Amino acid sequence: MRAVVQRVSGAAVTVAGETVGAIEGPGLCVLVGVTHGDTEQQAAQLARKLWTVRLFDGSADPDGPGELSCSDLAAPLLVISQFTLYGDARKGRRPTWNAAAPGPVAEPLVDEVVAQLRALGATVQTGRFGADMKVSLVNDGPFTVLLEV
């Protein structure tokens, strides 16, 4: 599993003009991609990492970001499925999506990440799997990291 994680001061996802998920920051906007062979255990591992990774400024830390996690701040997460994270454009000019898991495999694993986050105590909003989503966010920093499990 792969996730692009952005520290945000707010984020929202809309489908056909309807807001289906939104958070007010500080929080994380997380794009999650699933590849063949990913497991529920990896989904749980990703959820734990997202909940505990230290990406937020500590007020007492003069050295900057990286001292507090979502769990420390009770910060919300907006989790959005993103099969294009497994696009491959190394050859030619058109990406292939061969490494992205098909919907029947990917959707339950993205749902498992969300369920595991909620079980840890996180406030989680989501996009709509497979929909044409419009994502808006204010990237705080900017601060973006790539996680893989």
Side-chain angles (χ1 to χ4, degrees), residues 116-130:
Q116 291 289 329
L117 280 165
R118 288 178 175 151
L120 291 167
T123 298
V124 184
Q125 294 285 309
T126 65
R128 187 171 294 153
F129 192 91

Side-chain angles (χ1 to χ4, degrees), residues 6-99:
Q6 296 178 303
R7 186 178 68 193
V8 298
S9 57
V13 60
T14 61
V15 175
E18 172 195 358
T19 300
V20 296
I23 62 170
E24 294 296 320
L28 297 179
C29 182
V30 183
L31 306 176
V32 176
V34 178
T35 192
H36 307 281
D38 283 346
T39 65
E40 287 186 1
Q41 290 77 19
Q42 286 171 294
Q45 181 183 4
L46 180 59
R48 286 190 304 273
K49 178 66 96 172
L50 291 168
W51 188 232
T52 60
V53 66
R54 295 177 178 193
L55 301 179
F56 298 94
D57 297 338
S59 59
D61 179 20
D63 295 326
E67 288 302 313
L68 300 174
S69 66
C70 281
S71 64
D72 295 324
L73 300 172
L77 299 95
L78 177 60
V79 177
I80 302 164
S81 63
Q82 184 77 35
F83 80 93
T84 62
L85 292 181
Y86 280 100
D88 184 356
R90 289 178 289 181
K91 295 182 182 177
R93 296 178 294 154
R94 181 176 296 144
T96 64
W97 314 110
N98 298 336

